[in-house]
Amino acid sequence: MRRWAALAWLAVAFGASPAAAQDAPGGAPLNYFLHAAGPAAVPTMRLGWMLATLAVSVSVLVAVLLCIAIVRRRPRADPAAVYANRGGMAWIYIGTGISSVVLFATLVYVLMTLETVASPARRPNLTITVTAYDWWWKVAYSDAPDPARNFVTANEIHIPVGEPVKIELQSADVIHAFWVPQLAGKTQTIPGQTNEQWIEADQPGTYRGQCSQFCGAQHAHMAFEVVAQSAQDFDAWRRAQAQAAQPASGAEAVAGQRLFGERCAGCHTVRGTDALGVQAPDLTHLNSRRLLAAGALTNTAAHQLDWVQHAQRIKPDSLMPSIALSVTDAAALSAYLSTLH
């Protein structure tokens, strides 16, 4: 059974399409570098394959030469001696020359790739500011001329298909790295510094991203998603996200909102209410997202309560505490969270 499970995982990792691993959080996401889906990622993918081919070729060549040396034994001699009259120095010259040419050509190709992905072919019309926290991502859309269209969300980035998007990267605590393998290479987020990157998707879809710089206990659970949509769908999503939360209705939801204000509003924001916390994800449109806790859970009502009550079991050492709730309080809070569409 274990053998078949391992083979199935390898099929997802190396043979299946990237979408096949999207359904479950943490489902072999980093294999996506094998599938480029945008102009910023294609040159990087080709460079990766070239370097992998070069490394394998060198390894095979060394192994073959070693086998030949083992098979063709020579009389015992001083191992440190190199005999010029037997062609020993010629092999050193040839090997050094070939290695130098190959390494120089590789350097040129690497520099050409860096130049290719340094900037998009046309100026981006959309700028998104992404701030890395331990261990989640704050996503701010703040470039609209109309301030009413600006908003903050978390762990989910929406972009229009076929349009380059500028990403401004910041960190609120330690060094992280922003990486969407199918759309672009890695860029670090460094405290006190703003780095820039651009991404572009060739077709609609959901693309997995991940912090790729070890940043602490929950580094592996610091994922996000980039959702590429048609221009019309993206505009509709952005208009909806810019809206404030709808007022809670019904006694249970109202009681849940009051409980949220007492227990959660110090860290979380829900626009249109008195909850104005800035140290944790904005929950105004919580239920519009596919995942919870930076990819640790799928976003269902049951998982929302599980996360609230058992955050330190699900994601130890995160800043989200486990909150003890009575059955009545849990039902009320769940009713309120379900209104945050």
Coordinates of all heavy atoms in Angstrom, one line a residue, residues 106-165:
T106 N 27.7 29.1 -19.7 CA 26.6 29.0 -18.7 C 26.4 30.4 -18.1 O 25.2 30.8 -17.9 CB 26.9 27.9 -17.7 OG1 27.1 26.7 -18.3 CG2 25.8 27.8 -16.7
L107 N 27.5 31.0 -17.7 CA 27.4 32.4 -17.1 C 26.7 33.3 -18.1 O 25.8 34.1 -17.6 CB 28.8 32.9 -16.8 CG 28.8 34.3 -16.3 CD1 28.1 34.5 -15.0 CD2 30.3 34.8 -16.1
V108 N 27.0 33.3 -19.3 CA 26.4 34.2 -20.3 C 24.9 33.9 -20.4 O 24.1 34.8 -20.4 CB 27.1 34.0 -21.7 CG1 26.3 34.8 -22.8 CG2 28.5 34.5 -21.6
Y109 N 24.5 32.6 -20.4 CA 23.1 32.2 -20.5 C 22.4 32.7 -19.3 O 21.2 33.2 -19.4 CB 23.0 30.7 -20.7 CG 21.6 30.3 -21.0 CD1 20.7 31.0 -21.8 CD2 21.1 29.1 -20.5 CE1 19.4 30.6 -22.0 CE2 19.8 28.6 -20.7 CZ 19.0 29.4 -21.5 OH 17.7 28.9 -21.7
V110 N 23.0 32.5 -18.1 CA 22.3 33.0 -16.9 C 22.1 34.5 -16.9 O 21.0 34.9 -16.6 CB 23.2 32.6 -15.7 CG1 22.6 33.3 -14.4 CG2 23.2 31.1 -15.5
L111 N 23.1 35.2 -17.3 CA 22.9 36.7 -17.4 C 21.8 37.1 -18.4 O 21.1 38.0 -18.2 CB 24.3 37.3 -17.7 CG 25.3 37.2 -16.6 CD1 26.7 37.8 -17.1 CD2 24.9 37.9 -15.4
M112 N 21.8 36.4 -19.5 CA 20.8 36.7 -20.5 C 19.4 36.4 -20.0 O 18.4 37.1 -20.2 CB 21.0 35.9 -21.8 CG 22.3 36.3 -22.6 SD 22.6 35.1 -23.9 CE 21.1 35.3 -24.9
T113 N 19.3 35.3 -19.2 CA 18.0 35.0 -18.6 C 17.5 36.0 -17.6 O 16.4 36.4 -17.6 CB 18.0 33.6 -17.9 OG1 18.4 32.6 -18.9 CG2 16.7 33.2 -17.3
L114 N 18.5 36.5 -16.8 CA 18.2 37.5 -15.8 C 17.7 38.8 -16.5 O 16.8 39.5 -16.0 CB 19.4 37.8 -14.9 CG 19.8 36.6 -13.9 CD1 21.1 37.0 -13.2 CD2 18.7 36.4 -12.9
E115 N 18.4 39.1 -17.6 CA 18.0 40.3 -18.3 C 16.6 40.2 -18.9 O 15.8 41.1 -18.9 CB 19.0 40.6 -19.4 CG 18.6 41.8 -20.3 CD 18.6 43.1 -19.5 OE1 19.2 43.2 -18.5 OE2 17.9 44.0 -20.0
T116 N 16.3 39.0 -19.4 CA 15.0 38.7 -20.0 C 13.8 38.9 -19.0 O 12.8 39.4 -19.3 CB 14.9 37.3 -20.6 OG1 16.0 37.2 -21.6 CG2 13.6 37.0 -21.3
V117 N 14.0 38.4 -17.8 CA 12.9 38.4 -16.8 C 13.0 39.6 -15.9 O 12.2 39.8 -15.0 CB 13.0 37.1 -15.9 CG1 12.8 35.9 -16.8 CG2 14.2 37.0 -15.1
A118 N 14.0 40.5 -16.1 CA 14.1 41.7 -15.2 C 12.9 42.6 -15.3 O 12.5 43.2 -14.3 CB 15.4 42.5 -15.6
S119 N 12.3 42.7 -16.5 CA 11.1 43.7 -16.6 C 10.2 43.1 -17.7 O 10.7 42.5 -18.6 CB 11.6 45.1 -16.9 OG 12.4 45.1 -18.1
P120 N 8.9 43.4 -17.6 CA 8.0 42.9 -18.6 C 8.1 43.7 -19.9 O 8.8 44.7 -20.0 CB 6.6 43.2 -18.0 CG 6.9 44.3 -17.1 CD 8.3 44.2 -16.6
A121 N 7.5 43.1 -21.0 CA 7.6 43.8 -22.3 C 6.9 45.1 -22.4 O 7.2 46.0 -23.2 CB 7.0 42.8 -23.4
R122 N 5.9 45.2 -21.5 CA 5.1 46.5 -21.5 C 4.9 46.9 -20.0 O 4.9 46.0 -19.1 CB 3.8 46.4 -22.2 CG 2.9 45.4 -21.7 CD 1.6 45.2 -22.7 NE 0.6 44.3 -22.2 CZ 0.7 43.0 -22.3 NH1 1.8 42.4 -22.9 NH2 -0.2 42.2 -21.8
R123 N 4.6 48.1 -19.8 CA 4.5 48.6 -18.4 C 3.2 48.1 -17.7 O 2.1 48.1 -18.3 CB 4.4 50.2 -18.4 CG 4.3 50.8 -17.1 CD 4.2 52.3 -17.2 NE 4.1 53.0 -15.9 CZ 4.1 54.3 -15.7 NH1 4.1 55.1 -16.8 NH2 4.0 54.8 -14.5
P124 N 3.4 47.5 -16.5 CA 2.2 47.0 -15.8 C 1.2 48.1 -15.5 O 1.6 49.2 -15.1 CB 2.8 46.4 -14.5 CG 4.2 46.2 -14.9 CD 4.6 47.3 -15.8
N125 N -0.1 47.8 -15.6 CA -1.2 48.7 -15.2 C -1.7 48.4 -13.8 O -2.5 49.2 -13.3 CB -2.3 48.6 -16.2 CG -2.0 49.1 -17.6 OD1 -1.3 50.1 -17.7 ND2 -2.4 48.4 -18.6
L126 N -1.2 47.3 -13.2 CA -1.7 47.0 -11.9 C -0.5 46.7 -11.0 O 0.5 46.0 -11.4 CB -2.5 45.7 -11.9 CG -3.0 45.1 -10.6 CD1 -3.9 46.0 -9.9 CD2 -3.7 43.7 -10.8
T127 N -0.5 47.4 -9.8 CA 0.6 47.2 -8.8 C -0.1 46.6 -7.5 O -1.1 47.2 -7.0 CB 1.3 48.5 -8.5 OG1 1.9 49.0 -9.7 CG2 2.4 48.3 -7.4
I128 N 0.5 45.6 -7.0 CA 0.0 44.9 -5.8 C 1.1 44.9 -4.8 O 2.3 44.6 -5.1 CB -0.5 43.5 -6.0 CG1 -1.6 43.5 -7.1 CG2 -1.0 42.9 -4.8 CD1 -2.0 42.1 -7.6
T129 N 0.9 45.3 -3.5 CA 1.9 45.3 -2.5 C 1.6 44.0 -1.6 O 0.5 43.9 -1.0 CB 1.8 46.5 -1.6 OG1 2.0 47.7 -2.4 CG2 2.8 46.5 -0.5
V130 N 2.6 43.2 -1.5 CA 2.5 42.0 -0.7 C 3.5 42.1 0.4 O 4.7 42.3 0.2 CB 2.8 40.7 -1.6 CG1 2.8 39.5 -0.8 CG2 1.8 40.6 -2.8
T131 N 3.0 41.9 1.6 CA 3.8 42.0 2.8 C 3.8 40.6 3.5 O 2.7 40.0 3.8 CB 3.3 43.0 3.8 OG1 3.2 44.3 3.2 CG2 4.2 43.2 5.0
A132 N 5.0 40.1 3.7 CA 5.1 38.8 4.4 C 5.1 38.9 5.9 O 5.8 39.7 6.4 CB 6.4 38.1 3.9
Y133 N 4.4 38.0 6.5 CA 4.4 37.9 8.0 C 4.7 36.5 8.4 O 4.6 35.6 7.6 CB 3.0 38.3 8.6 CG 2.6 39.7 8.5 CD1 2.2 40.3 7.3 CD2 2.6 40.5 9.6 CE1 1.8 41.7 7.2 CE2 2.2 41.9 9.6 CZ 1.8 42.4 8.4 OH 1.4 43.7 8.3
D134 N 5.0 36.3 9.6 CA 5.1 34.9 10.2 C 3.7 34.4 10.5 O 3.1 34.9 11.5 CB 6.0 34.9 11.4 CG 7.4 34.9 11.2 OD1 7.9 34.7 10.0 OD2 8.2 35.2 12.1
W135 N 3.0 33.5 9.8 CA 3.4 32.9 8.5 C 2.2 33.1 7.6 O 1.4 32.1 7.5 CB 3.8 31.5 8.8 CG 5.1 31.4 9.5 CD1 6.4 31.4 8.9 CD2 5.4 31.2 10.9 NE1 7.4 31.3 9.8 CE2 6.8 31.2 11.1 CE3 4.6 31.1 12.0 CZ2 7.4 31.0 12.3 CZ3 5.1 31.0 13.2 CH2 6.6 31.0 13.4
W136 N 2.0 34.2 7.0 CA 0.9 34.5 6.1 C 1.3 35.7 5.2 O 2.4 36.3 5.4 CB -0.4 34.7 6.8 CG -0.4 35.9 7.8 CD1 0.1 36.0 9.0 CD2 -1.0 37.2 7.5 NE1 -0.1 37.3 9.5 CE2 -0.8 38.0 8.6 CE3 -1.7 37.8 6.4 CZ2 -1.2 39.4 8.7 CZ3 -2.1 39.1 6.5 CH2 -1.9 39.9 7.6
W137 N 0.5 36.0 4.3 CA 0.7 37.1 3.3 C -0.4 38.1 3.3 O -1.5 37.8 3.1 CB 0.9 36.5 1.9 CG 1.9 35.4 1.8 CD1 1.7 34.1 2.0 CD2 3.3 35.5 1.4 NE1 2.9 33.4 1.8 CE2 3.9 34.2 1.4 CE3 4.1 36.6 1.0 CZ2 5.2 34.0 1.1 CZ3 5.4 36.4 0.7 CH2 5.9 35.1 0.8
K138 N 0.0 39.4 3.5 CA -1.0 40.5 3.4 C -0.9 41.0 2.0 O 0.2 41.3 1.4 CB -0.6 41.6 4.4 CG -1.5 42.8 4.3 CD -1.0 43.9 5.3 CE -1.8 45.2 5.2 NZ -1.2 46.2 6.2
V139 N -2.0 41.1 1.3 CA -2.1 41.5 -0.1 C -2.9 42.8 -0.2 O -4.1 42.8 0.1 CB -2.7 40.4 -1.0 CG1 -2.8 40.8 -2.4 CG2 -2.0 39.1 -0.8
A140 N -2.3 43.9 -0.6 CA -2.9 45.2 -0.7 C -3.0 45.7 -2.1 O -2.0 45.8 -2.8 CB -2.1 46.2 0.1
Y141 N -4.3 46.0 -2.5 CA -4.6 46.6 -3.8 C -4.8 48.1 -3.5 O -5.8 48.5 -3.0 CB -5.8 46.0 -4.4 CG -5.6 44.6 -4.9 CD1 -5.6 43.5 -4.0 CD2 -5.5 44.3 -6.3 CE1 -5.4 42.2 -4.5 CE2 -5.3 43.0 -6.7 CZ -5.3 41.9 -5.8 OH -5.1 40.7 -6.3
S142 N -3.8 48.9 -3.8 CA -3.9 50.3 -3.4 C -3.5 51.3 -4.5 O -3.0 52.4 -4.2 CB -3.0 50.5 -2.1 OG -1.7 50.1 -2.4
D143 N -3.6 50.8 -5.7 CA -3.1 51.7 -6.8 C -4.3 52.3 -7.6 O -4.1 52.9 -8.7 CB -2.2 50.9 -7.8 CG -3.0 49.8 -8.5 OD1 -4.1 49.4 -8.0 OD2 -2.6 49.4 -9.6
A144 N -5.5 52.1 -7.2 CA -6.7 52.6 -7.9 C -6.8 54.2 -7.7 O -6.6 54.6 -6.6 CB -8.0 52.0 -7.5
P145 N -7.1 54.9 -8.8 CA -7.3 56.4 -8.6 C -8.4 56.7 -7.6 O -8.3 57.7 -6.9 CB -7.6 56.8 -10.0 CG -7.1 55.8 -10.9 CD -7.2 54.5 -10.2
D146 N -9.4 55.8 -7.6 CA -10.5 56.0 -6.6 C -10.2 55.2 -5.4 O -10.2 54.0 -5.4 CB -11.8 55.5 -7.3 CG -13.0 55.6 -6.3 OD1 -12.9 56.2 -5.2 OD2 -14.1 55.1 -6.7
P147 N -10.0 55.9 -4.2 CA -9.6 55.2 -3.0 C -10.7 54.1 -2.6 O -10.3 53.2 -1.9 CB -9.6 56.3 -2.0 CG -9.3 57.5 -2.8 CD -10.0 57.3 -4.1
A148 N -11.9 54.3 -3.0 CA -12.9 53.4 -2.7 C -12.7 52.0 -3.3 O -13.3 51.0 -2.8 CB -14.3 53.9 -3.1
R149 N -11.8 51.9 -4.3 CA -11.6 50.6 -4.9 C -10.3 49.9 -4.3 O -9.9 48.9 -4.7 CB -11.3 50.8 -6.4 CG -12.6 51.2 -7.2 CD -12.4 51.0 -8.7 NE -12.2 49.5 -9.0 CZ -11.8 49.1 -10.2 NH1 -11.4 49.9 -11.1 NH2 -11.7 47.8 -10.4
N150 N -9.7 50.6 -3.3 CA -8.5 50.0 -2.7 C -8.9 49.2 -1.5 O -9.9 49.5 -0.8 CB -7.6 51.1 -2.3 CG -7.0 51.8 -3.4 OD1 -6.8 51.3 -4.5 ND2 -6.7 53.1 -3.3
F151 N -8.3 48.1 -1.3 CA -8.6 47.2 -0.2 C -7.4 46.3 0.2 O -6.4 46.2 -0.6 CB -9.8 46.3 -0.5 CG -9.6 45.4 -1.7 CD1 -9.1 44.2 -1.6 CD2 -9.9 45.9 -3.0 CE1 -8.9 43.4 -2.7 CE2 -9.6 45.1 -4.1 CZ -9.1 43.9 -4.0
V152 N -7.6 45.5 1.2 CA -6.6 44.6 1.7 C -7.2 43.2 1.8 O -8.3 43.1 2.3 CB -5.9 45.0 3.0 CG1 -5.0 43.9 3.6 CG2 -5.2 46.3 2.9
T153 N -6.5 42.2 1.4 CA -7.0 40.8 1.5 C -5.8 40.0 2.0 O -4.7 40.5 2.4 CB -7.6 40.2 0.2 OG1 -8.1 38.9 0.5 CG2 -6.6 40.2 -0.9
A154 N -5.9 38.7 2.0 CA -4.8 37.8 2.5 C -4.7 36.5 1.8 O -5.7 35.9 1.5 CB -5.0 37.6 4.0
N155 N -3.4 36.1 1.5 CA -3.1 34.8 1.1 C -3.7 34.4 -0.3 O -3.6 33.3 -0.7 CB -3.5 33.7 2.1 CG -2.8 34.0 3.4 OD1 -1.6 34.3 3.5 ND2 -3.6 33.8 4.5
E156 N -4.3 35.4 -1.0 CA -4.9 35.1 -2.3 C -4.7 36.3 -3.2 O -5.2 37.4 -2.8 CB -6.3 34.7 -2.1 CG -7.0 34.2 -3.4 CD -8.3 33.6 -3.2 OE1 -8.4 32.5 -2.6 OE2 -9.3 34.2 -3.6
I157 N -4.1 36.2 -4.3 CA -3.8 37.3 -5.2 C -4.6 37.0 -6.5 O -4.4 36.0 -7.1 CB -2.3 37.4 -5.5 CG1 -1.5 37.6 -4.2 CG2 -2.0 38.5 -6.5 CD1 0.0 37.5 -4.4
H158 N -5.4 38.0 -6.9 CA -6.1 37.9 -8.2 C -5.4 38.8 -9.2 O -5.1 40.0 -8.9 CB -7.6 38.2 -8.0 CG -8.3 37.2 -7.3 ND1 -9.4 36.6 -7.8 CD2 -8.2 36.6 -6.0 CE1 -9.9 35.7 -7.0 NE2 -9.2 35.7 -5.9
I159 N -5.3 38.3 -10.4 CA -4.7 39.1 -11.5 C -5.4 38.9 -12.8 O -6.1 37.8 -13.0 CB -3.2 38.8 -11.7 CG1 -3.0 37.3 -12.1 CG2 -2.4 39.1 -10.4 CD1 -1.6 36.9 -12.5
P160 N -5.4 39.9 -13.7 CA -6.0 39.6 -15.0 C -5.1 38.8 -15.9 O -3.9 39.0 -15.9 CB -6.3 41.0 -15.5 CG -5.2 41.9 -14.8 CD -5.0 41.2 -13.5
V161 N -5.7 37.9 -16.7 CA -4.9 37.1 -17.6 C -4.3 38.0 -18.7 O -4.9 38.9 -19.2 CB -5.8 36.0 -18.3 CG1 -5.1 35.3 -19.4 CG2 -6.2 35.0 -17.2
G162 N -3.0 37.6 -19.1 CA -2.4 38.3 -20.2 C -1.9 39.7 -19.9 O -1.4 40.4 -20.8
E163 N -1.9 40.1 -18.6 CA -1.4 41.4 -18.3 C -0.3 41.3 -17.2 O -0.4 40.6 -16.2 CB -2.6 42.3 -17.6 CG -3.7 42.6 -18.6 CD -3.3 43.6 -19.6 OE1 -2.3 44.4 -19.4 OE2 -3.9 43.6 -20.7
P164 N 0.8 42.0 -17.5 CA 1.9 42.0 -16.5 C 1.5 42.7 -15.2 O 0.8 43.8 -15.3 CB 3.1 42.7 -17.2 CG 2.4 43.6 -18.2 CD 1.2 42.8 -18.7
V165 N 1.8 42.2 -14.1 CA 1.4 42.8 -12.8 C 2.7 43.0 -12.0 O 3.5 42.1 -11.8 CB 0.5 41.9 -12.0 CG1 0.1 42.4 -10.7 CG2 -0.8 41.6 -12.9

